[in-house]
Amino acid sequence: MRLRCAGRTVLDLLLPPRCAMCDNTVEVQGQVCARCFSQINFITEPLCVRCGVPFASAGQGGAEGLCVACRAHPPLFRQARGALRYDEPGRRLILPLKHADRIELAQILAPIMLRAGEVLLQRADALVPVPLHRRRLFHRKYNQAAVLAHAVGRLARRPVLADALVRTRQTQSLDTKSPEERVREVAGSLAVRGSRAGQITGRTILLIDDVMTSGATANACAVALLEAGAAAVDVLVAARVPDPRLR
Ligand SMILES: [Zn+2]
Ligand SMILES: [Zn+2]
């Protein structure tokens, strides 16, 4: 790590630092230029009080402030919040963190997540990242959700239980699946590590992930944490896929 940092400093002297989202030069490596920052679509109200999905208008949630998905199938987590929309600019921030070893992007995302999840962080006893299956972890080398959990945990001064959840079987990619197929695919694929159960029981857990689509994975994690005795589970993600029904 130290070598890598030293290498980067030498590199910074030779090449000007570039924006994390485009080719513009910035002052410090890992920053986003002003133009790209203005393109990020932060999630603001109105949104579903339960799952945090953004609404196009305040009336969409009805009297209870709930989205169609939460009304039809209330999630097992208590509340979820996302920092930004997973649209084209959102993908330019998230995908390199996931697939291109751009761990420094977590330093940009963490303060934004801190703002979006202020209430959830205040009541959280510990942060738990959504795990990768060990085979996927081997190929990617790191879990982007754990990288985000550590960055957010540092800012919010909350402990991170990075290995509390484990994938008990490898699931197929959910990218092309319908919400119902996603629920079936992830059901029962997550569990709390036996040695961590004592740190989960009776605690309010804040689950951390990079992207939330239908919430199927977050819900399956909540099931595992609640079965292990968690008092409540909230969810904080960097980016949220808008529900196409809410345009
Ligand atoms: Zn830029
Ligand atoms: Zn909802």
Side-chain angles (χ1 to χ4, degrees):
M1 194 66 198
R2 193 170 292 168
L3 262 176
R4 203 170 147 183
C5 287
R8 176 147 286 169
T9 313
V10 172
L11 220 81
D12 286 350
L13 291 172
L14 299 172
L15 305 162
R18 300 272 172 199
C19 164
M21 292 171 66
C22 76
D23 271 343
N24 283 348
T25 55
V26 286
E27 300 211 343
V28 181
Q29 187 66 38
Q31 276 183 340
V32 169
C33 75
R35 194 177 60 98
C36 287
F37 194 81
S38 70
Q39 288 172 352
I40 300 172
N41 291 305
F42 298 100
I43 294 178
T44 52
E45 292 190 343
L47 42 82
C48 172
V49 292
R50 193 77 189 265
C51 75
V53 74
F55 289 150
S57 65
Q60 260 175 346
E64 292 168 300
L66 294 171
C67 73
V68 261
C70 287
R71 247 177 281 163
H73 303 284
L76 284 154
F77 52 79
R78 185 169 48 184
Q79 271 189 315
R81 289 294 178 266
L84 47 102
R85 286 171 191 256
Y86 195 57
D87 48 13
E88 193 275 323
R91 274 191 286 274
R92 279 197 281 139
L93 256 180
I94 305 279
L95 287 176
L97 170 71
K98 209 168 183 154
H99 300 292
D101 289 350
R102 299 287 303 276
I103 295 176
E104 72 272 16
L105 289 175
Q107 305 310 322
I108 297 172
L109 292 163
I112 312 172
M113 290 172 75
L114 196 74
R115 236 172 298 150
E118 199 183 354
V119 176
L120 310 188
L121 281 159
Q122 268 165 12
R123 65 190 185 203
D125 292 312
L127 274 50
V128 170
V130 171
L132 286 181
H133 188 268
R134 58 188 157 73
R135 214 163 300 148
R136 204 161 281 169
L137 185 62
F138 179 79
H139 289 295
R140 291 222 194 126
K141 292 175 275 184
Y142 63 91
N143 173 7
Q144 72 281 1
V147 172
L148 287 172
H150 285 296
V152 173
R154 252 193 309 276
L155 291 180
R157 295 166 199 256
R158 286 290 182 278
V160 179
L161 302 174
D163 62 350
L165 281 171
V166 282
R167 298 255 184 189
T168 52
R169 64 176 162 82
Q170 193 164 16
T171 50
Q172 290 173 20
S173 166
L174 302 181
D175 291 351
T176 57
K177 295 197 180 333
S178 72
E180 293 75 22
E181 289 168 334
R182 286 164 182 258
V183 170
R184 272 200 301 277
E185 184 61 32
V186 294
S189 68
L190 293 132
V192 166
R193 191 183 296 274
S195 59
R196 290 289 188 195
Q199 288 160 285
I200 300 295
T201 309
R203 307 276 162 82
T204 293
I205 301 299
L206 181 57
L207 191 71
I208 305 284
D209 206 357
D210 54 346
V211 181
M212 181 161 151
T213 307
S214 68
T217 303
N219 220 33
C221 290
V223 171
L225 290 161
L226 291 168
E227 276 176 0
V233 178
D234 291 313
V235 185
L236 178 60
V237 298
R240 184 72 220 254
V241 177
D243 188 329
R245 293 171 294 185
L246 299 173
R247 270 175 200 155

